[in-house]
Amino acid sequence: MPGKPSRLRPGLLAAAVAVVLAVVIVVLTLHPWATPTAARTERPSASPSASATPRATRSPAPTPTSSAGPTDAVHAPATSTVGAVRGASIAVHGRPGGAVTTTLSNPQSSGAPLVFLVVAQQEGWAQVQLAQRPNGSTGWVASSDLELSSDPYAIVVTTATNTLDLYEGGKVVRSYPVATGTGGTPTPTGRFALTELLAPTNAGYGPYAYGTTAFSDVLNSFGGGPGQIGLHGTDDSSSIGTDSSHGCIRMHNADITALAALLPLGTPIQVR
């Protein structure tokens, strides 16, 4: 009796092996390479995820462009009309032939000649931009009181990039780095004009300073003046390219010197 089980075990083992082999053959026959097929099916599903990654990268991309890009379009006319006052004073009217609103002296208190940017004309009259608040103020003067001339230059200052583009004939001919106002004392935006050219005697303003028709939106007075925005040099060249001024536009001294030899009074300057 004890010897019988040992004779039966090999037979049972052989039978079990035969059953397993039969099952494997059936599986392979009915489902060949099932696992690799499933792996290939999963690979395309990774493609949408890969394509989604560039979309996620592109969606933030417009943000720097929109925040850095100014909202105002460039205004740089191919030519502008400027008018130098002929006499010792000129009467400014609210409308052509209307009441006199103010009388301006020529030369100005700084000693600079009185020159206007002409923004419109009609028979016998010229509408000119005035250096007074609010920014963008204009008045009408008799055309006969002006010596009119054509100016091919224009300046466009972009505060988002702290650059100044010089236009001639409506085309950019030179770009300069500048410093503009800080967040607390921003450089006002809009369309203005150069009103005077001075050689400053006080330190910090470089060799030349243009006055403009623009005034600070937050400072009613500064340094003994009315908060008028200037375009000038600087003794702090490290500030160029940054938002660091009280609203004025600073340039390297060599750059403002180049402009001073080139730009007539009345030249349009846009800040955007």
Side-chain angles (χ1 to χ4, degrees), residues 29 55 59 64 70 88 91 94 97 100 113 127 141 187 204 211 214 218 221 223 227 236 259:
T29 302
R55 284 199 296 270
S59 60
V100 175
Q127 186 181 23
V141 299
T187 303
V218 296
S221 64
D236 181 13
L259 292 187

Side-chain angles (χ1 to χ4, degrees), residues 6-7 9 15 47 52 78 86 90 95 105 108 126-128 142 156 168 196 199 201 203 209-210 220-221 226 237 243:
S6 60
R7 286 195 300 269
R9 285 192 190 99
S47 181
R86 295 178 184 275
I90 191 168
R95 58 183 178 81
S105 298
Q108 304 175 61
Q127 186 181 23
V128 298
V156 177
E168 183 177 5
E196 54 192 341
T201 56
Y210 278 104
N220 291 322
S221 64
S237 60
D243 303 336

Side-chain angles (χ1 to χ4, degrees), residues 74-139:
V74 169
H75 178 73
T79 59
S80 300
T81 300
V82 299
V85 176
R86 295 178 184 275
S89 65
I90 191 168
V92 180
H93 304 254
R95 58 183 178 81
V100 175
T101 58
T102 188
T103 300
L104 300 175
S105 298
N106 180 46
Q108 304 175 61
S109 59
S110 64
L114 184 57
V115 181
F116 298 113
L117 171 63
V118 177
V119 296
Q121 293 185 74
Q122 65 179 61
E123 187 175 358
W125 293 90
Q127 186 181 23
V128 298
Q129 193 169 110
L130 300 174
Q132 67 180 45
R133 286 186 168 91
N135 286 334
S137 293
T138 62

